[in-house]
Amino acid sequence: MKRLLISCALTVPLITLGGGTLSAEVKTREKSQVKIEGIVGRMMNFFGGRAAKGGVVATTAVKSDRKSTMNESTGQIIDLSEEKVYDLDLKKKTYQVTTFDELRRRMKEAQEKAEKDAREQSKEDNKAPEKPDKPEKQLEVDFDVKETGQKRQLAGYDTREVIMTVTLREKGKLLEDSGGFVMSADSWLGPQIAALKELHEFDARYWKQLQGPDAMGMSAEQMAMVVATYPMLKQASERLSKESAKLQGTPLATTTTFEVVKSKEQMAQQAESGNSGGGGIGGMLARKMAKKDNEVKPRSTIFTVLAETQEVATSVAAADLQIPADFKEKK
């Protein structure tokens, strides 16, 4: 199941550009790259493939309830009215059909497996017996937005750089003391581009139908596993989405990063034993992200998602959204 669904739309622009369905059509060329680190990255190598290495340049076309995404070797057509996904092998000239119900089942299975793996890993890492009655630590969420003043041209548009950062830490403590999570979105915002709203709106509708609105340019399976393993990602993503709605402009390139920050206690334990670990927020995750060389690092990157629009057109040919006549269905 090497289904690769990597588009230029991330959670932040999806929510920002929400609203009613548009009647326009759009065709874009974009580069996308998903890099998942640590234990989840090893599990997701099967799904990530080439996109996790050098990225993938793809052409995307959207019109009404249909969207196609094609790169040099594979393609995908999503039909919201049919609730089907068509995965194309452009070299073998074959395609497979997957229903939304089947995708939902795969997402559920992937999430359940990730949750099971996380529980087993936690039991292995914790020598002391668990204390189910121990209250969970309360979290505080900090948000920061910065206009850097940097400018560049993308897809023929002038853009400006805006960096949004969400920090989750233990209530009443500094991030460096308690440890926690940091999620950032480094975006290059151009003017309001009406044509791109159709593409972003399509992705929002797709993920809503799949019951996966937290998707961040990953496949359904990737996102289910990452969210199951790192539950705080959902909270951070929701805050980013809420705050991004206040920004003006269309994101033409965004790099989203999610990091685990070790607490002082975890840093001390790692320095002493050569192994990351300890309690507190992100303890289990910090242990998972331990480096082979045992170097003590306060932060560990969980994943990085890059999405960049390289070209925008406002017309779509009928052939852009259809399976070629000489392709055969692979059962």
Side-chain angles (χ1 to χ4, degrees):
M1 182 182 59
K2 290 190 176 180
R3 187 181 62 81
L4 191 60
L5 179 59
I6 299 178
S7 70
C8 68
L10 302 180
T11 299
V12 174
L14 287 182
I15 304 301
T16 304
L17 297 173
T21 302
L22 304 178
S23 58
E25 54 193 67
V26 62
K27 185 175 181 179
T28 67
R29 184 178 74 245
E30 66 272 344
K31 179 179 180 179
S32 301
Q33 184 176 18
V34 178
K35 296 178 65 175
I36 306 176
E37 310 290 345
I39 187 171
V40 173
R42 291 191 290 274
M43 288 190 294
M44 298 316 299
N45 280 339
F46 180 78
F47 297 107
R50 182 179 171 187
K53 298 176 182 178
V56 171
V57 175
T59 299
T60 298
V62 171
K63 186 174 183 179
S64 187
D65 288 333
R66 206 166 174 93
K67 171 185 174 182
S68 70
T69 303
M70 304 286 175
N71 58 51
E72 64 178 22
S73 59
T74 63
Q76 185 178 79
I77 296 175
I78 301 171
D79 194 304
L80 299 183
S81 60
E82 296 178 357
E83 290 211 341
K84 291 181 179 179
V85 176
Y86 301 86
D87 289 298
L88 285 68
D89 186 322
L90 303 184
K91 294 182 178 180
K92 296 181 179 179
K93 293 187 176 183
T94 60
Y95 69 93
Q96 286 184 297
V97 183
T98 306
T99 65
F100 281 19
D101 284 340
E102 173 63 15
L103 286 178
R104 294 184 189 106
R105 184 188 66 79
R106 293 178 186 178
M107 291 172 65
K108 183 178 179 181
E109 290 180 353
Q111 183 170 349
E112 290 175 348
K113 183 180 185 303
E115 289 172 347
K116 179 181 178 181
D117 291 342
R119 288 193 299 269
E120 292 177 352
Q121 183 68 40
S122 179
K123 290 179 180 179
E124 291 179 6
D125 291 341
N126 289 294
K127 297 180 180 180
E130 297 182 3
K131 298 179 180 180
D133 296 331
K134 186 177 180 180
E136 294 184 2
K137 295 181 179 180
Q138 293 184 320
L139 298 180
E140 285 188 336
V141 181
D142 302 320
F143 177 78
D144 177 70
V145 59
K146 179 191 302 181
E147 295 260 4
T148 67
Q150 297 297 311
K151 300 181 185 299
R152 61 185 289 201
Q153 194 170 76
L154 289 169
Y157 297 93
D158 293 327
T159 68
R160 72 188 196 280
E161 185 181 32
V162 179
I163 300 176
M164 295 177 289
T165 305
V166 174
T167 301
L168 288 87
R169 55 179 173 78
E170 187 175 341
K171 187 175 182 179
K173 294 186 178 181
L174 297 175
L175 176 67
E176 294 75 14
D177 294 332
S178 68
F181 305 87
V182 177
M183 186 174 186
S184 63
D186 186 343
S187 295
W188 293 88
L189 302 181
Q192 295 288 354
I193 304 173
L196 286 182
K197 290 186 179 181
E198 177 73 3
L199 189 153
H200 296 149
E201 173 64 16
F202 184 99
D203 286 322
R205 292 162 58 205
Y206 173 46
W207 287 109
K208 185 176 181 180
Q209 285 183 235
L210 273 185
Q211 301 178 350
D214 303 306
M216 302 189 60
M218 302 178 192
S219 70
E221 294 85 357
Q222 285 177 321
M223 201 60 222
M225 294 185 74
V226 172
V227 171
T229 310
Y230 309 108
M232 295 304 170
L233 170 62
K234 184 174 186 297
Q235 187 174 350
S237 178
E238 288 175 347
R239 182 61 186 271
L240 267 183
S241 300
K242 178 181 177 181
E243 297 294 340
S244 68
K246 303 174 184 178
L247 299 177
Q248 297 296 318
T250 300
L252 291 172
T254 300
T255 301
T256 304
T257 305
F258 185 62
E259 299 174 293
V260 170
V261 181
K262 300 181 182 70
S263 67
K264 282 187 175 180
E265 179 184 359
Q266 292 163 359
M267 290 290 291
Q269 289 179 354
Q270 184 178 350
E272 181 178 351
S273 65
N275 295 307
S276 60
I281 301 174
M284 182 185 70
L285 304 183
R287 289 191 294 276
K288 289 181 179 180
M289 301 300 294
K291 302 296 182 180
K292 292 182 179 180
D293 59 3
N294 292 326
E295 181 181 355
V296 180
K297 295 182 179 180
R299 296 195 179 202
S300 299
T301 300
I302 305 304
F303 70 75
T304 302
V305 179
L306 167 67
E308 179 181 331
T309 301
Q310 298 179 335
E311 185 178 322
V312 181
T314 55
S315 63
V316 176
D320 291 333
L321 298 167
Q322 301 297 327
I323 299 173
D326 59 342
F327 276 44
K328 296 182 178 180
E329 182 176 358
K330 184 178 179 181
K331 300 292 186 177

